Amino acid sequence: MRSSSVSPYDLQDWAKRAGFEMIMIHGGHGWLINQFLSPYFNHRTDEYGGSLENRCRFACQVLDAVRAAVGPMFPIEFRFSGSELFEGGYDLEEGVRIAQTLESRIDLLHVSAGTYQRGFGDTHPSMFKDHGCNVYLAAEIKKHVSIPVATIGGLNDPAQMEEIIASGKADVVYMARALLADPFLPRKVMENRSEDIVHCLRCFTCMAERAATGTRRCTVNPLIGREMEGDEVQPALVKKKVLIAGGGPGGLYAAWTAARRGHSVVLCEKEVALGGILKSEIALPFKREMFALTETYERFARNAGVEIRFNTEVTPEYVEKEAPDALIIAAGSRPLVPPIKGMDGEQVVVVNELYRNLDKISDKVVVMGGGLAGCECAISLGMEGKEVQLVEMRDALAPDANVRHRPLLLKEIEKQVKAVHTGYRAEEITPEGVWCTDANGERHLVEGTTVICALGQTINDLFAYGLKWGAQSASTATSICLIFASSLLTGLGVYDKIGKYAGAGSIVPITGFANSVVSPAMEFRREGLVMGVGAKLFTLAGPVLTYGIGSSIVVGLAALAMGAGR
């Protein structure tokens, strides 16, 4: 044990020689050093197990070896969990004692929380937790040590971070996911531009994508994981007139990027407010960052010179009148409302319209639909004290949620929802509730005086128009670009809908499109717009019809990722 704890630390000397100015040793989150510190993991009976002194021995030897390698004047940071936050692990009281044991060997104590094995949502606070929910651990430990203390945990608000430092709860604040969402956050704070920060949604797309593909992606930052393609938007060689249909996040981001490239951009929104489906997030307090994204993107677009027209629906006649060089259809999706008997009742609220009808929600609610939207709606209403029952015809809830978010979502469902009925098909809505049929054909009444319809989304008719028009208008000089909410149409479903209008023979795979509005590396053929990674180009007789199906983490020409919201 002693030799194995010392020999690798030549690496620390190499890090110093390579020009690094500090070393952080990770002793938390269930990693090796934490497993020695934890009574839950450490069942040894030798000098490394049992008492707290013994459980700290390995960490002490590691830090002594690092200090010997780097010398006395080189700063060493030690990261550990202030409490493991589960029964059987060490608590905050022992966390204080661990900190006191190790402080003489380090220069900065980095206080996090939990372990991956037993509390991923503690180490990386989810949207269901308060920002800064782990700060209290650092604040308490700081009272008992004499070295600087750092804190972390869902921090992305400069005002909150300023308060943490000013009040003495910690000496340093850390961000991780917040800097994936907006790498320029610190610069914007220093320049008093906090309103321009693109906030992390805490949706776990970054970690879920890494688990699935080995790379990082971000719902609100399409450049993450694609930095080698270039991270600067370059002026287009030929300036074009671009008409964008739809003022949701996809349309706004596309407009902003096209304007930065020098194009003349007009964005049309048929309603009186921007945001598209993000407007529905107003009703969910734990998703306020997602709704706020609309305001941020609108400011970016206006500052770049985009003309925004409200109460303006883009029709074929409107396109002919405006005669743009490129038409970007970012009309988003609409709720799927099947013809269930009683669906037109006054007690029924479509989930997208919940924010307009909060005063209509009674104390007993049935949510029809156990996808991501329905589950998050049920959780929010449960947090308000409503008695909520969830009806889902599939056998599992939220299969559309990513692998990191879903387990935490299901835990919240257990806490906030009275009953979950999977395998139930809604047949009729009455004033008493929803009559459902189970897999055996038996009928059940799920009682509730308010019914929320959260049965999914489908594409807007304007997309079908775009496909038809692109296929039939060979003489037009306008090129059409379709921005789809990617989780709505994936795999063979995409080709079925394309083939219906464009014909399978016109499908020509090429490189690029998911990152289309931000990558300057590849040009949108003939238009001087921008293409990125992962879609198909359909070349028809005259116009270029581009259909973006990219991964579910792209903002821009794949709308807002459904894995992060709806």
Side-chain angles (χ1 to χ4, degrees), residues 38-329:
S38 171
Y40 177 83
F41 294 107
N42 188 344
H43 300 156
R44 298 177 70 102
T45 57
D46 57 10
E47 71 265 39
Y48 293 95
S51 67
L52 181 63
E53 179 184 1
N54 284 353
R55 285 185 276 124
C56 287
R57 193 179 306 278
F58 180 69
C60 290
Q61 290 180 348
V62 168
L63 292 170
D64 288 343
V66 172
R67 178 60 72 196
V70 300
M73 303 304 293
F74 192 81
I76 298 174
E77 173 186 4
F78 184 73
R79 186 184 204 191
F80 88 121
S81 299
S83 170
E84 292 187 290
L85 300 178
F86 64 87
E87 186 176 351
Y90 65 80
D91 58 13
L92 177 55
E93 182 180 349
E94 273 206 328
V96 169
R97 294 169 59 197
I98 292 170
Q100 291 173 326
T101 300
L102 302 178
E103 68 169 313
S104 64
R105 296 171 167 84
I106 58 179
D107 303 285
L108 175 63
L109 187 62
H110 177 160
V111 181
S112 187
T115 68
Y116 285 118
Q117 297 89 335
R118 292 294 304 273
F120 182 83
D122 295 321
T123 61
H124 304 84
S126 73
M127 64 176 64
F128 305 117
K129 292 193 172 186
D130 292 335
H131 290 280
C133 59
N134 294 331
V135 171
Y136 76 98
L137 298 171
E140 180 60 29
I141 289 172
K142 181 172 165 55
K143 298 174 184 177
H144 301 278
V145 298
S146 59
I147 59 175
V149 172
T151 189
I152 193 171
L155 299 173
N156 67 3
D157 179 10
Q160 181 184 27
M161 291 185 278
E162 175 69 21
E163 189 278 330
I164 290 169
I165 299 296
S167 64
K169 295 173 185 174
D171 302 293
V172 180
V173 290
Y174 279 148
M175 295 170 284
R177 288 173 290 171
L179 296 180
L180 295 179
D182 191 342
F184 304 105
L185 188 157
R187 179 186 298 174
K188 291 176 181 179
V189 172
M190 294 177 67
E191 295 174 352
N192 293 316
R193 294 192 297 120
S194 296
E195 70 278 4
D196 289 339
I197 293 172
V198 179
H199 289 285
C200 169
L201 307 180
R202 297 192 293 173
C203 63
F204 291 119
T205 291
C206 51
M207 296 181 180
E209 187 71 14
R210 185 180 183 186
T213 67
T215 189
R216 293 287 190 194
R217 292 290 186 264
C218 178
T219 298
V220 296
N221 184 356
L223 288 174
I224 293 298
R226 301 186 174 95
E227 290 84 355
M228 295 303 292
E229 298 172 31
D231 59 0
E232 295 182 1
V233 175
Q234 303 291 343
L237 297 178
V238 179
K239 312 304 181 185
K240 299 285 185 176
K241 179 179 181 180
V242 180
L243 177 63
I244 299 178
L252 284 169
Y253 203 109
W256 176 43
T257 304
R260 283 187 292 163
R261 302 214 62 208
H263 299 298
S264 174
V265 183
V266 175
L267 183 147
C268 296
E269 169 55 50
K270 69 177 182 179
E271 297 187 8
V272 297
L274 298 170
I277 199 170
L278 293 192
K279 292 196 291 288
S280 63
E281 309 299 355
I282 304 172
L284 309 181
F286 52 79
K287 301 189 76 174
R288 57 187 173 87
E289 282 94 354
M290 186 170 287
F291 169 67
L293 197 62
T294 300
E295 298 177 357
T296 305
Y297 284 170
E298 178 184 2
R299 183 163 45 253
F300 290 170
R302 289 189 184 277
N303 290 343
V306 175
E307 179 185 349
I308 298 177
R309 300 174 183 174
F310 293 102
N311 298 307
T312 303
E313 184 174 5
V314 175
T315 62
E317 294 76 20
Y318 192 84
V319 174
E320 295 294 339
K321 171 188 169 186
E322 291 292 322
D325 298 300
L327 168 64
I328 298 180
I329 300 177

Side-chain angles (χ1 to χ4, degrees), residues 394-411:
R394 294 170 292 190
D395 294 329
L397 295 177
D400 49 335
N402 70 55
V403 296
R404 292 299 191 190
H405 183 58
R406 185 170 183 267
L408 304 175
L409 180 85
L410 296 180
K411 283 186 179 180

Side-chain angles (χ1 to χ4, degrees), residues 347 362 364-366 389 430-434 446-451:
Q347 80 276 30
S362 67
K364 296 184 67 175
V365 182
V366 179
Q389 298 193 67
T430 70
E432 292 75 34
V434 181
V446 181
E447 296 182 355
T449 48
T450 297
V451 176

Side-chain angles (χ1 to χ4, degrees), residues 384-396:
E384 294 177 12
K386 311 288 188 185
E387 182 182 291
V388 184
Q389 298 193 67
L390 194 54
V391 173
E392 168 56 46
M393 71 178 183
R394 294 170 292 190
D395 294 329

